[in-house]
Amino acid sequence: MVLYIIGLGLGDELDISVKGKKIIDKSDVVYLEAYTSILFVSKNKLEEYYKKTIHEVDRDFAEENCDIILEQALKNKVCFLVVGDPLCATTHHDIILRAKQKKITVKIIHNASIMTAIAESGMQLYNFGQTVSIPYFENNYKPTSFYDKIKTNLNNNFHTLCLLDIKIKERTIENIMKNKKIYKPPSFMTINEAIEQLIYCEEIHKQNVITEKTLGIAIVRIGTDDQQIISGNLFKLKSLQYNQPLHSLIICANTLHDIEKEYYDMYLCDS
Amino acid sequence: MVLYIIGLGLGDELDISVKGKKIIDKSDVVYLEAYTSILFVSKNKLEEYYKKTIHEVDRDFAEENCDIILEQALKNKVCFLVVGDPLCATTHHDIILRAKQKKITVKIIHNASIMTAIAESGMQLYNFGQTVSIPYFENNYKPTSFYDKIKTNLNNNFHTLCLLDIKIKERTIENIMKNKKIYKPPSFMTINEAIEQLIYCEEIHKQNVITEKTLGIAIVRIGTDDQQIISGNLFKLKSLQYNQPLHSLIICANTLHDIEKEYYDMYLCDS
């Protein structure tokens, strides 16, 4: 049979495509991937609208029990729902390879992604360099490779999309060691936290990447009714209060094109 | 009132989001932007499914008569439909600025884009550098800046997404001069033509960007039932026959990560 990997888009239960919805209607089993991103509605709301029981899949399940999903897909129409466009995160490439090894047909239903929705900021997608992820710093784990990548992008006069860490259903090292399935509360990095970490990197590496002149655009809950797009220098953006996560951050190229400049000015924080 | 700019996604009338479809249902006027990309269904099919009269907007209309659309949006709910995710091309940033100047509320309904759908190739979006456009060479106009950008991406070990030219409702210079609205037949650059142009650039610039070792992935009609994803070196890819356009081309980084390598091998052209 078929494994359908269906993108849900950015906001709520209505952001699925008509095609994706029709496939769910005719499917036998529906899984929801709930550990690389989140929608802004509850699973119940999705179940109500899609009229299907939805099984939430967390990281443990996907890694340990991927075979269960694939066994079902051998005999049934199985939907695997993913927020955004399903393959933007690197996570789901593995299940497709494993499905193809078992000769299961895989169909991807694409949808909107943060990676192109950010064009709403006015920054041209053609002018972006490599996308970076900013992970939460921990006491003894403070990787700063994103700082070097931003520097490279700035040197080439590219914008950088910074995707901010989210932690869903993570366990403490203690609970992993004890094999206890007790999870920490979910956390979503804010723009303020991300800029704090960027400033930390600047203090360590001193490459003049993050200065008073570094321009950014705060991207908050894009694709929802309470989205925010706010431009300003990074220190200004760090001082603002935003709507609830999800947050992302664009670090702008040093030189903006005319139309980018117009957008930047339009979104300038006014206080 | 409101100007809704609604992404149609990649394939057919069913790729619109449920949210976008609901907005069309309640709208007063519907335009379809038909000059930066195409869907794989006719306007009639869209009209039948969306149950609305759809006004096709060509480049001339959008540039000269944008104000007509905006005047309507002052008093009505106007939908402006765009293939893919509406702001991926740079074209539509202008109408939004002009709408905002007139205090018209603008809402973007995002959708799938080629720029993230290419993740289906297995190449990780995080490993892409700047996206390039390859324009049709003309007798006395052969810009090669995309060649330099691909070189920069390769030097940084990034993949490059090459978007291939499409020409819809273009006029000959003669007909523009005579102000005659007679259009050339539409043309869509094939992967074969794109690689020919890349080889031409190599012959001119001799920077060892396009060689027997340069790996690529042909992306054909992604998001449709007859999509193709085929990997191989560029000379091999140039020799193949593909399904009808739209075509895109990924030029792969010199070093592939393990999972990228697995996908590359899976999609290898077998002849």
Side-chain angles (χ1 to χ4, degrees):
Chain A
M1 295 294 288
V2 190
L3 174 63
Y4 293 97
I5 303 186
I6 301 176
L8 296 184
L10 297 167
D12 59 32
E13 74 280 9
L14 301 180
D15 285 318
I16 193 167
S17 67
V18 173
K19 190 176 280 173
K21 174 71 167 58
K22 281 176 188 279
I23 292 170
I24 294 178
D25 290 345
K26 291 187 187 164
S27 68
D28 303 304
V29 195
V30 181
Y31 289 98
L32 169 67
E33 184 270 281
Y35 57 97
T36 62
S37 189
I38 51 157
L39 274 192
F40 298 104
V41 289
S42 67
K43 190 187 82 161
N44 291 352
K45 196 82 182 276
L46 293 185
E47 288 185 322
E48 208 174 281
Y49 181 70
Y50 300 156
K51 296 193 182 66
K52 291 277 177 180
T53 302
I54 294 177
H55 308 278
E56 235 175 59
V57 172
D58 61 33
R59 196 179 296 273
D60 293 343
F61 181 86
E63 283 167 12
E64 292 166 18
N65 301 60
C66 177
D67 285 338
I68 296 177
I69 299 178
L70 295 180
E71 282 302 317
Q72 287 179 318
L74 279 170
K75 294 179 198 152
N76 302 282
K77 286 185 185 167
V78 175
C79 291
F80 189 72
L81 311 182
V82 181
V83 175
D85 193 19
L87 301 178
C88 279
T90 57
T91 320
H92 304 303
H93 278 107
D94 185 53
I95 193 173
I96 297 176
L97 283 176
R98 288 165 70 175
K100 294 207 172 176
Q101 282 157 5
K102 287 181 190 281
K103 312 282 180 208
I104 296 166
T105 304
V106 179
K107 292 217 171 186
I108 316 291
I109 308 298
H110 293 283
N111 207 324
S113 162
I114 177 75
M115 293 179 93
T116 60
I118 48 157
E120 210 173 325
S121 69
M123 301 304 112
Q124 307 286 337
L125 294 185
Y126 286 88
N127 297 333
F128 278 77
Q130 192 182 19
T131 299
V132 307
S133 288
I134 302 187
Y136 273 116
F137 282 167
E138 292 174 28
N139 286 339
N140 40 18
Y141 182 63
K142 294 189 172 65
T144 62
S145 61
F146 56 85
Y147 176 88
D148 300 320
K149 291 175 183 172
I150 293 167
K151 185 183 166 197
T152 303
N153 282 341
L154 284 170
N155 287 346
N156 288 299
N157 204 40
F158 292 151
H159 312 302
T160 308
L161 168 60
C162 305
L163 298 174
L164 310 189
D165 205 0
I166 70 176
K167 288 194 182 291
I168 301 170
K169 284 209 164 185
E170 302 253 337
R171 293 184 287 170
T172 59
I173 290 174
E174 198 187 348
N175 280 325
I176 293 172
M177 301 291 278
K178 290 183 184 164
N179 205 16
K180 281 191 185 171
K181 300 219 163 177
I182 300 171
Y183 300 98
K184 294 193 258 187
S187 54
F188 306 95
M189 185 184 283
T190 64
I191 288 162
N192 318 73
E193 290 169 324
I195 298 175
E196 250 171 57
Q197 291 197 184
L198 285 165
I199 292 170
Y200 170 89
C201 295
E202 183 61 47
E203 284 164 359
I204 302 291
H205 297 292
K206 297 188 173 53
Q207 300 286 305
N208 285 317
V209 174
I210 307 302
T211 72
E212 295 277 343
K213 288 186 187 159
T214 313
L215 305 183
I217 303 181
I219 305 282
V220 176
R221 296 172 82 84
I222 198 157
T224 72
D225 283 339
D226 52 352
Q227 75 173 35
Q228 295 175 302
I229 300 176
I230 303 174
S231 62
N233 82 55
L234 289 190
F235 290 84
K236 180 73 197 174
L237 293 184
K238 180 163 111 49
S239 72
L240 301 179
Q241 279 208 322
Y242 301 98
N243 291 344
Q244 291 295 306
L246 302 179
H247 292 185
S248 308
L249 175 66
I250 296 170
I251 296 184
C252 297
N254 294 313
T255 314
L256 300 183
H257 292 235
D258 289 349
I259 210 153
E260 291 179 331
K261 184 81 176 60
E262 274 194 73
Y263 270 84
Y264 184 88
D265 291 342
M266 179 170 78
Y267 288 126
L268 207 56
C269 55
D270 40 17
S271 61
Chain B
M1 294 294 285
V2 190
L3 175 63
Y4 294 96
I5 303 186
I6 301 178
L8 296 184
L10 297 168
D12 59 32
E13 74 279 9
L14 300 180
D15 285 318
I16 194 168
S17 67
V18 173
K19 190 177 279 172
K21 174 70 168 56
K22 280 176 188 278
I23 292 169
I24 294 178
D25 291 345
K26 290 186 186 163
S27 69
D28 302 304
V29 196
V30 181
Y31 289 98
L32 170 66
E33 185 269 280
Y35 57 97
T36 61
S37 189
I38 52 157
L39 274 192
F40 298 103
V41 290
S42 66
K43 191 187 82 161
N44 291 353
K45 195 82 184 275
L46 293 185
E47 287 186 320
E48 207 174 282
Y49 181 69
Y50 299 157
K51 295 193 183 68
K52 290 277 179 182
T53 302
I54 294 177
H55 307 279
E56 234 176 58
V57 172
D58 61 33
R59 195 179 295 273
D60 293 343
F61 181 86
E63 282 168 13
E64 293 167 17
N65 303 62
C66 178
D67 285 338
I68 297 178
I69 299 177
L70 295 180
E71 282 304 316
Q72 287 179 317
L74 279 169
K75 293 178 196 152
N76 303 280
K77 286 185 186 165
V78 175
C79 291
F80 189 73
L81 311 183
V82 181
V83 175
D85 194 19
L87 301 178
C88 280
T90 58
T91 321
H92 305 302
H93 278 107
D94 186 53
I95 194 172
I96 298 176
L97 283 175
R98 289 165 71 175
K100 294 208 172 175
Q101 281 156 7
K102 287 182 191 281
K103 312 280 180 209
I104 296 166
T105 304
V106 179
K107 292 219 171 182
I108 316 292
I109 308 297
H110 293 283
N111 207 324
S113 163
I114 178 75
M115 294 178 92
T116 59
I118 49 158
E120 209 173 325
S121 69
M123 300 304 113
Q124 308 285 336
L125 295 185
Y126 286 89
N127 297 334
F128 277 77
Q130 193 183 17
T131 298
V132 306
S133 288
I134 302 188
Y136 272 116
F137 282 166
E138 291 173 29
N139 286 338
N140 40 19
Y141 182 63
K142 295 189 174 63
T144 62
S145 61
F146 56 86
Y147 177 88
D148 300 320
K149 292 175 183 171
I150 293 167
K151 185 186 165 193
T152 304
N153 282 342
L154 285 170
N155 286 346
N156 287 300
N157 205 39
F158 292 152
H159 313 302
T160 307
L161 168 61
C162 305
L163 297 174
L164 310 189
D165 205 359
I166 70 176
K167 288 194 182 291
I168 301 170
K169 284 210 166 184
E170 301 255 337
R171 294 184 287 168
T172 60
I173 290 176
E174 197 186 346
N175 280 325
I176 293 172
M177 301 292 279
K178 290 184 185 163
N179 205 17
K180 281 190 183 168
K181 301 219 163 177
I182 300 170
Y183 301 98
K184 294 193 260 186
S187 54
F188 306 95
M189 186 183 285
T190 63
I191 287 161
N192 317 75
E193 289 169 325
I195 297 175
E196 251 170 57
Q197 291 198 183
L198 285 164
I199 292 170
Y200 169 89
C201 296
E202 183 62 44
E203 284 165 0
I204 302 291
H205 297 292
K206 297 188 173 57
Q207 300 286 304
N208 285 318
V209 174
I210 308 300
T211 72
E212 295 277 342
K213 286 186 188 159
T214 313
L215 304 183
I217 302 180
I219 305 282
V220 176
R221 298 172 80 84
I222 197 157
T224 71
D225 283 339
D226 51 353
Q227 76 174 33
Q228 295 175 300
I229 300 175
I230 302 174
S231 62
N233 82 57
L234 291 191
F235 290 84
K236 181 73 196 174
L237 293 183
K238 180 162 110 51
S239 71
L240 301 179
Q241 279 209 320
Y242 301 98
N243 291 343
Q244 291 295 307
L246 301 178
H247 292 184
S248 308
L249 176 66
I250 296 171
I251 296 182
C252 299
N254 294 314
T255 314
L256 301 183
H257 292 234
D258 288 349
I259 210 153
E260 292 178 330
K261 185 77 177 62
E262 273 194 74
Y263 271 84
Y264 184 89
D265 292 342
M266 180 170 76
Y267 289 127
L268 207 55
C269 55
D270 39 18
S271 60

